[in-house]
Amino acid sequence: MFAQFIAAKVSDQAAYTEHMRHWHQEQSERADGWLMGIGGVTAEGKSVMMVLFESEEQARRNSDRPEQSDWWRALLTCLEGTPEVIDSAMVDRFGSGNLMQAGFVQFMRGQVQDQGRARHLVQQMSDDFMPMRPDIIGSVCVWYPGGFVDAVCFTSEAEARRGESQPFPDELAEAWGQMEAMMSDLSYYDLTEPVLMSREHAPA
């Protein structure tokens, strides 16, 4: 799997959402290898979007399409400044639920030491932790040099808040402590109206 993470300040949220709808309606069928998009706009007007493809080659071919270039230029008109774009082939998917059913999405982004160790710990914790948190549908974590972006899809914000208020069980506390010690510069982006797209699911 290959991911493109895009972050920007939105100047016109209605136009931003309409551009996403238009892409899904007019271009998604022609985007070879495209799997899904998870993102939205925070209450503070920050847009975060994770776009997933089957491979980097297919993602590059999509970016090279003239129609895609035209759409991107149109999208820029409702953003402030130059968007940040991160490409990565280091992508981990956790959970088997349908991410398109999320009622709330939280992105967590940060720096991390010893990325290999961190990936191992996340995998270990997810295998044990996911069954304890029915509010978590699944997540996608993208790793890039020195950092990561994790998009966690929840059934609802209310359920997510209840779940996060619970302490870690003893069997996971040690692993989480090790993970915390390796992370820094954490940022959280809460999406109460997530924009979710796949071939079978159009953005609301």
Side-chain angles (χ1 to χ4, degrees), residues 145-156:
F148 69 96
V149 180
D150 189 22
V152 185
C153 297
F154 298 88
T155 53
S156 71

Side-chain angles (χ1 to χ4, degrees), residues 38 50 94 99 102 104-108 129-130 133 135-141 149-155 160 189 191:
I38 303 169
M50 189 180 289
F94 302 105
L99 304 183
F104 174 68
V105 175
Q106 184 179 74
F107 276 66
M108 180 173 68
F129 186 58
M130 293 286 282
R133 289 286 299 273
D135 56 304
I136 300 178
I137 299 172
S139 69
V140 180
C141 190
V149 180
D150 189 22
V152 185
C153 297
F154 298 88
T155 53
Y189 305 96
L191 307 176

Side-chain angles (χ1 to χ4, degrees), residues 5 36-43 46 48-50 98-108 135-140 149-161 164 187-197 201:
F5 172 72
M36 69 180 74
I38 303 169
V41 182
T42 69
K46 179 80 169 185
V48 286
M49 177 64 67
M50 189 180 289
N98 182 357
L99 304 183
M100 299 296 102
Q101 295 179 348
F104 174 68
V105 175
Q106 184 179 74
F107 276 66
M108 180 173 68
D135 56 304
I136 300 178
I137 299 172
S139 69
V140 180
V149 180
D150 189 22
V152 185
C153 297
F154 298 88
T155 53
S156 71
E157 183 177 12
E159 292 294 328
R161 300 307 181 198
E164 71 183 11
S187 299
Y188 295 87
Y189 305 96
D190 291 348
L191 307 176
T192 56
E193 297 181 2
V195 175
L196 306 169
M197 299 185 293
H201 183 92

Side-chain angles (χ1 to χ4, degrees), residues 47-66:
S47 162
V48 286
M49 177 64 67
M50 189 180 289
V51 186
L52 303 176
F53 287 84
E54 292 177 4
S55 71
E56 181 175 0
E57 179 183 4
Q58 290 166 312
R60 301 301 180 202
R61 284 205 300 266
N62 177 65
S63 297
D64 290 341
R65 290 188 302 115

Side-chain angles (χ1 to χ4, degrees), residues 65-164:
R65 290 188 302 115
E67 302 93 334
Q68 177 69 18
S69 297
D70 291 343
W71 175 85
W72 178 253
R73 283 192 293 270
L75 179 69
L76 292 177
T77 63
C78 64
L79 304 179
E80 295 181 10
T82 302
E84 179 187 14
V85 180
I86 294 174
D87 293 345
S88 177
M90 296 175 64
V91 184
D92 294 325
R93 166 79 187 267
F94 302 105
S96 58
N98 182 357
L99 304 183
M100 299 296 102
Q101 295 179 348
F104 174 68
V105 175
Q106 184 179 74
F107 276 66
M108 180 173 68
R109 182 180 183 184
Q111 301 299 304
V112 64
Q113 302 173 14
D114 194 348
Q115 200 167 74
R117 175 61 177 160
R119 291 186 77 184
H120 174 76
L121 284 171
V122 170
Q123 180 68 64
Q124 174 187 329
M125 288 189 294
S126 295
D127 290 344
D128 295 333
F129 186 58
M130 293 286 282
M132 303 177 185
R133 289 286 299 273
D135 56 304
I136 300 178
I137 299 172
S139 69
V140 180
C141 190
V142 176
W143 306 86
Y144 57 92
F148 69 96
V149 180
D150 189 22
V152 185
C153 297
F154 298 88
T155 53
S156 71
E157 183 177 12
E159 292 294 328
R161 300 307 181 198
R162 277 194 289 269
E164 71 183 11

